[in-house]
Amino acid sequence: RKEVEQDPGPFNVPEGATVAFNCTYSNSASQSFFWYRQDCRKEPKLLMSVYSSGNEDGRFTAQLNRASQYISLLIRDSKLSDSATYLCVVKSSGGYNKLIFGAGTRLAVHP
Amino acid sequence: DGGITQSPKYLFRKEGQNVTLSCEQNLNHDAMYWYRQDPGQGLRLIYYSQIVNDFQKGDIAEGYSVSREKKESFPLTVTSAQKNPTAFYLCASSIYRDADGYTFGSGTRLTVV
């Protein structure tokens, strides 16, 4: 089983739609959680951290359920510029607290 | 402006050759990392370095080597022992080990011809 699993998509949605991405992680001792955005053939960039109480940044809302080991990202009022791959990232615990990346979910927003 | 510079952007390697990918940062970050990305897969950690003159193997270190002689520089050598080197290579840094925020370079796309 992969340490971080995501639906690969693609999710094809019209502008203005609301879209939700899900992610599960296997290590219950994981400490920190993030969503990164990666444009085609570019480097990943941090979109937002995910906190236990849930957090919002404009049109983006992230949720964490530690009991279910589940993370979500909700994008409201989708824009064409939101088209990208969204990576779920978990910081593992242990001797070295490395970041573990999911394979990503691709989003395509069309007019 | 501070950041991470990777070069070259595209690299072609003949089978049996060693090639070195450059990664330079001027962020004054202690920790640096090399990741490999293949289509449909998440980033996988090759090597990391927490401080100058120290580095550790990641999950897929076989066929790769690194050095960290200066804080700013963390070059990655892809040796002929790496059987499937065609991939997108990403270098990243963080202010210290265990820091949450990683800054990535723009990547090097390596192709074996």
Side-chain angles (χ1 to χ4, degrees):
Chain A
R1 182 186 172 189
K2 292 182 181 177
E3 291 187 77
V4 179
E5 296 211 54
Q6 298 181 247
D7 182 337
F11 284 44
N12 293 301
V13 304
E15 277 187 286
T18 295
V19 60
F21 304 137
N22 303 320
C23 169
T24 57
Y25 60 95
S26 60
N27 185 348
S28 59
S30 297
Q31 300 176 344
S32 306
F33 310 89
F34 313 91
W35 284 101
Y36 276 68
R37 170 192 169 130
Q38 185 174 24
D39 292 296
C40 189
R41 303 176 84 83
K42 302 276 189 163
E43 73 274 23
K45 293 185 178 177
L46 179 65
L47 179 66
M48 58 196 303
S49 300
V50 186
Y51 303 117
S52 297
S53 55
N55 50 298
E56 190 173 300
D57 182 1
R59 297 181 294 108
F60 298 83
T61 300
Q63 299 273 2
L64 168 65
N65 184 324
R66 285 188 184 270
S68 303
Q69 296 177 211
Y70 170 93
I71 307 160
S72 66
L73 176 69
L74 184 78
I75 305 176
R76 291 181 301 279
D77 189 23
S78 299
K79 313 290 184 192
L80 295 176
S81 58
D82 293 333
S83 298
T85 297
Y86 291 83
L87 308 177
C88 177
V89 183
V90 172
K91 190 173 186 180
S92 68
S93 62
Y96 170 63
N97 295 341
K98 63 181 182 181
L99 293 187
I100 301 170
F101 289 78
T105 299
R106 193 155 64 88
L107 171 66
V109 182
H110 57 83
Chain B
D1 286 339
I4 297 183
T5 301
Q6 287 188 243
S7 61
K9 194 173 178 70
Y10 299 96
L11 186 58
F12 297 90
R13 190 194 93 169
K14 292 182 180 179
E15 287 197 29
Q17 275 186 336
N18 292 354
V19 290
T20 297
L21 283 57
S22 170
C23 178
E24 304 277 332
Q25 54 102 355
N26 60 3
L27 299 165
N28 201 32
H29 284 177
D30 283 332
M32 297 187 74
Y33 315 86
W34 273 105
Y35 285 89
R36 168 183 172 138
Q37 187 175 33
D38 294 280
Q41 296 195 40
L43 278 67
R44 292 182 290 166
L45 184 64
I46 304 172
Y47 267 98
Y48 63 95
S49 169
Q50 299 171 31
I51 201 166
V52 175
N53 293 324
D54 175 76
F55 50 83
Q56 305 294 330
K57 292 182 179 180
D59 300 318
I60 54 165
E62 186 176 349
Y64 300 98
S65 65
V66 293
S67 63
R68 186 86 187 275
E69 296 176 1
K70 298 186 299 181
K71 188 175 186 176
E72 302 79 18
S73 179
F74 191 40
L76 174 74
T77 297
V78 184
T79 75
S80 56
Q82 170 48 239
K83 297 307 177 191
N84 186 21
T86 294
F88 188 41
Y89 290 87
L90 288 156
C91 179
S93 70
S94 62
I95 191 164
Y96 53 82
R97 171 194 163 179
D98 295 348
D100 283 350
Y102 282 25
T103 301
F104 281 89
S106 57
T108 292
R109 200 164 294 275
L110 174 63
T111 305
V112 173
V113 296

